[in-house]
Amino acid sequence: MKSLLVYMRHYKKESFFAPLFKLLEATFELIVPLVVANIIDKGIANGDYKLIVKDCLILGGFALVGMVMAITAQYFAAKAATGFGKELRTGLFAKIQSLSFSEIDTMGTSSLITRMTNDVTQLQNGVNMSLRLLLRSPFIVAGAMVMAFTIDIKCALIFLVVIVALSIVVFGIMGFTMPGYRDIQKQLDSVTLITRENYAGARVIRAFTAEEGEKETFNKRNEMLAHLQRSIGRVSALLNPVTYVMINVAIIVLIQTGAVRVNIGELSQGQVVALYNYMSQILVELLKLAMMIIQLTKALACASRIRGVLAMDSSLQHNDNSGVKDENCAVSFEGVTLHYKNAGENSLEDISFCAEPGQVIGVIGGTGSGKSSLVSMIPHFYDAKKGCVSVFGRDVKSYDDDELRGMIGYVQQKAVLFKGTIRENMKWGKPNATDEEIRDALKRAQILDIIENKGGLDAEVEQNGANFSGGQKQRLSVARALVRHPKILILDDSSSALDYATEAAMRKAILSLDYNPTVFIVSQRASSVMCADKIIVMDDGKTAGIGAHDDLMKNCGVYREIYDSQFSREVTAQ
């Protein structure tokens, strides 16, 4: 928790004044029983109505001032807590954005979402309650005990015993429940994961009539979450009744002891009432303290999970190896091996090739052969276990990631669009792109006519592009990359949902770009890469062959097998 307090640096004033005003309120509250005792012992006993009226006005003043201070304290506490939550979310979001794909894959999207939302909210609530009660409740408990000692030492010993016993109970329950709340948050990650998967894959689930199976899986995870919450809740629920029992037993003992001492003249009736009021104050504050401790227990568990993300560093390596290696290579792989974190085997092994500026490079292979892994190393999404990946003669590790990726237009396998307009989505590729540049990119991606029919560049894009078909989303993703005018364009199986004629037209338009980028075309279709200057054939993470189409047909059995299995079908389709 201490390491997260840096996010309250802009709210030092609020963090100071919130507990200060609460302590001032508590001070007035501690004086009230003495005033009541004075009314009983001197005002009522002596029939001094002026004293009674005066002290009642004092009590009214205390109540009014206390209310103002409580409201002021709540304002400062709320402002500090919400500000802390805002700063923490901002920092956490920025940290997640800085992580490499390896860390995001390891943590899991659902866990990151839970930490970003539920965990931060729990921590924000914990900060709010701490600013209001962390000092006030112990202050009143300790103050009430001190005031009791000023009234009568023997009766005050009852206070001391009760406070020690209650402290043991409260902190014992806190120590037991804190690990449980961590388990609850982990299980919440699991529920969030299956919920997210079901929402994202609703059509697939219904297509396979798997609703009942998914409901059963969800119910199991949800029941496990409920079981953990019930288990911890039962222990936490003991706090209030145990506190009530102990305090009320103490009140009984206090009244009995006080009555005896009043009879023998060692205490006055007003003093007994004051002691009773102080005991009641302790009861109320300990209940508040118990609720605060439960909230803090949850908050501390959440803080530990958030710290885990903030303490995580990107595993992407950087160096100063910026010397030019080969000026004739736009992209160069030299003995590159890739191993994903927690994977059993290497995904790529000993990959070497050179892509010259302006060349078209085809990457083909079966499913799982390592095609996407290969091109994902060009923008430095992953580090090579061995070897070196160079872009325009420089090791990718020597580039600033923003500088490197600014030169690359990357279209991934899964087309991702964001809620907004077509224009806003296209400007992800180039923030200052003109409408003419956007239209040119849409035209080359063979989707301009469709966009014009939908309302032009101001046409709405729903979440995840739900109002566009798979092929349309792919073409929009290609257009978004083209808007950037990249020096290197990577099309990672970005036309799998297109018919052959549309794909051919889009490919022809891309290859006719006047700024002549180096183009990587990743595909399982032989027809998509036949036109490439160089084709890299992938097989089980290794290069089965590198060369032009005619050479590979003669010398590469894997490529020839892919071509023969598709060619007759492709010719028929065309």
Side-chain angles (χ1 to χ4, degrees):
M1 185 73 179
K2 185 178 179 180
S3 61
L4 300 181
L5 293 180
V6 65
Y7 294 100
M8 294 194 71
R9 61 186 180 276
H10 297 135
Y11 302 94
K12 293 178 181 177
K13 179 183 71 174
E14 290 80 1
S15 301
F16 174 76
F17 282 117
L20 174 64
F21 279 98
K22 274 293 180 182
L23 290 179
L24 291 174
E25 177 204 359
T27 302
F28 285 112
E29 194 170 324
L30 288 172
I31 300 174
V32 166
L34 297 180
V35 178
V36 172
N38 191 56
I39 292 173
I40 294 172
D41 290 340
K42 295 182 179 179
I44 297 175
N46 300 327
D48 189 346
Y49 295 106
K50 288 184 179 180
L51 177 65
I52 295 173
V53 171
K54 183 188 73 173
D55 285 354
C56 285
L57 290 174
I58 291 173
L59 291 177
F62 283 171
L64 180 61
V65 174
M67 181 182 70
V68 172
M69 290 187 174
I71 293 173
T72 305
Q74 180 60 60
Y75 166 77
F76 283 123
K79 186 176 180 181
T82 53
F84 168 78
K86 181 197 74 172
E87 297 281 349
L88 182 56
R89 286 190 191 92
T90 301
L92 188 58
F93 185 80
K95 184 65 178 182
I96 292 172
Q97 291 296 317
S98 72
L99 297 177
S100 71
F101 283 11
S102 295
E103 282 73 50
I104 293 175
D105 293 342
T106 301
M107 292 290 294
T109 305
S110 60
S111 178
L112 291 174
I113 291 173
T114 302
R115 295 174 202 229
M116 189 79 182
T117 53
N118 182 273
D119 287 7
V120 173
T121 301
Q122 293 280 10
L123 197 49
Q124 179 179 317
N125 292 338
V127 169
N128 191 345
M129 192 169 284
S130 297
L131 290 175
R132 291 187 293 115
L133 299 178
L134 190 60
L135 293 180
R136 173 198 156 88
S137 292
F139 178 79
I140 285 189
V141 170
M145 186 174 69
V146 170
M147 298 301 284
F149 270 102
T150 63
I151 295 173
D152 184 69
I153 294 178
K154 186 174 181 180
C155 289
L157 293 176
I158 300 172
F159 284 70
L160 184 61
V161 172
V162 169
I163 290 172
V164 171
L166 285 173
S167 299
I168 294 172
V169 171
V170 167
F171 288 104
I173 291 176
M174 178 180 173
F176 181 83
T177 55
M178 186 178 291
Y181 283 119
R182 291 197 190 99
D183 293 337
I184 287 173
Q185 293 304 118
K186 289 179 182 177
Q187 188 61 29
L188 183 60
D189 289 346
S190 178
V191 173
T192 303
L193 172 62
I194 191 171
T195 303
R196 182 173 178 273
E197 287 179 339
N198 271 262
Y199 288 158
R203 296 179 182 179
V204 177
I205 293 169
R206 292 177 184 179
F208 286 91
T209 61
E211 293 93 335
E212 294 304 319
E214 289 300 306
K215 287 179 184 177
E216 184 178 346
T217 304
F218 177 84
N219 289 337
K220 286 181 180 178
R221 297 189 186 183
N222 197 31
E223 179 57 37
M224 177 59 72
L225 176 61
H227 172 71
L228 288 172
Q229 289 174 326
R230 284 194 297 266
S231 299
I232 301 303
R234 289 189 190 103
V235 178
S236 297
L238 291 174
L239 205 53
N240 279 10
V242 170
T243 303
Y244 265 113
V245 168
M246 295 177 72
I247 288 290
N248 281 292
V249 168
I251 287 174
I252 292 171
V253 174
L254 177 64
I255 292 174
Q256 192 273 336
T257 304
V260 171
R261 294 175 68 77
V262 167
N263 282 337
I264 61 177
E266 293 182 354
L267 282 178
S268 67
Q269 292 177 339
Q271 288 176 319
V272 173
V273 171
L275 289 170
Y276 173 82
N277 285 337
Y278 283 128
M279 187 64 78
S280 298
Q281 285 182 354
I282 290 176
L283 171 61
V284 172
E285 292 305 319
L286 283 175
L287 291 176
K288 291 180 181 178
L289 188 62
M291 289 187 293
M292 184 193 71
I293 287 175
I294 291 173
Q295 182 62 50
L296 277 181
T297 303
K298 295 178 183 178
L300 290 172
C302 294
S304 176
R305 286 159 49 84
I306 292 171
R307 279 201 313 272
V309 179
L310 294 174
M312 185 178 291
D313 293 322
S314 174
S315 62
L316 288 179
Q317 300 174 4
H318 291 84
N319 58 37
D320 57 359
N321 186 21
S322 58
V324 177
K325 297 187 176 185
D326 190 346
E327 295 180 351
N328 296 321
C329 286
V331 176
S332 173
F333 277 56
E334 300 173 14
V336 173
T337 296
L338 172 65
H339 187 91
Y340 288 118
K341 193 172 183 179
N342 300 326
E345 300 178 350
N346 293 331
S347 296
L348 297 175
E349 284 192 30
D350 196 25
I351 306 295
S352 298
F353 69 87
C354 169
E356 297 176 10
Q359 273 193 330
V360 178
I361 308 297
V363 183
I364 193 170
T367 302
S369 59
K371 305 185 297 299
S372 295
S373 296
L374 184 146
V375 294
S376 69
M377 300 190 71
I378 300 173
H380 198 204
F381 289 153
Y382 297 96
D383 274 322
K385 181 181 178 182
K386 295 180 182 177
C388 178
V389 180
S390 302
V391 171
F392 295 110
R394 282 178 56 184
D395 188 343
V396 293
K397 296 179 182 178
S398 70
Y399 281 97
D400 176 80
D401 287 336
D402 290 340
E403 178 190 0
L404 174 64
R405 293 164 191 169
M407 298 187 293
I408 299 171
Y410 195 109
V411 185
Q412 294 182 315
Q413 285 179 311
K414 183 180 179 182
V416 177
L417 299 177
F418 300 91
K419 183 173 176 60
T421 64
I422 294 293
R423 182 182 287 104
E424 289 169 348
N425 271 270
M426 292 302 104
K427 286 192 174 185
W428 276 77
K430 184 180 178 182
N432 60 348
T434 64
D435 288 356
E436 289 72 21
E437 289 177 312
I438 294 173
R439 287 193 175 90
D440 180 67
L442 293 170
K443 183 178 180 180
R444 290 182 184 277
Q446 310 301 305
I447 197 170
L448 180 60
D449 292 342
I450 296 173
I451 297 304
E452 294 293 353
N453 291 334
K454 284 181 174 284
L457 300 185
D458 292 317
E460 285 294 319
V461 179
E462 294 180 6
Q463 187 177 5
N464 294 325
N467 54 331
F468 290 91
S469 68
Q472 290 170 348
K473 287 193 287 187
Q474 284 189 334
R475 282 177 278 174
L476 286 170
S477 297
V478 171
R480 183 172 56 198
L482 292 175
V483 167
R484 174 171 284 187
H485 291 186
K487 295 180 180 180
I488 299 171
L489 177 62
I490 300 173
L491 305 175
D492 186 0
D493 207 8
S494 57
S495 57
S496 58
L498 304 183
D499 60 82
Y500 290 95
T502 304
E503 180 194 8
M506 183 174 69
R507 187 167 61 248
K508 182 180 178 181
I510 291 173
L511 297 183
S512 66
L513 288 167
D514 54 9
Y515 54 89
N516 203 26
T518 303
V519 181
F520 283 79
I521 301 175
V522 179
S523 180
Q524 297 184 53
R525 295 178 180 176
S527 61
S528 299
V529 300
M530 286 171 56
C531 63
D533 300 309
K534 186 182 294 182
I535 302 172
I536 302 171
V537 184
M538 299 297 298
D539 183 34
D540 196 23
K542 301 176 183 178
T543 52
I546 299 177
H549 169 73
D550 292 338
D551 294 335
L552 291 173
M553 286 295 291
K554 296 176 183 177
N555 304 318
C556 181
V558 174
Y559 181 77
R560 188 168 56 251
E561 182 180 347
I562 294 172
Y563 179 84
D564 290 340
S565 67
Q566 298 176 4
F567 187 71
S568 59
R569 184 176 70 243
E570 292 180 358
V571 170
T572 301
Q574 291 173 346

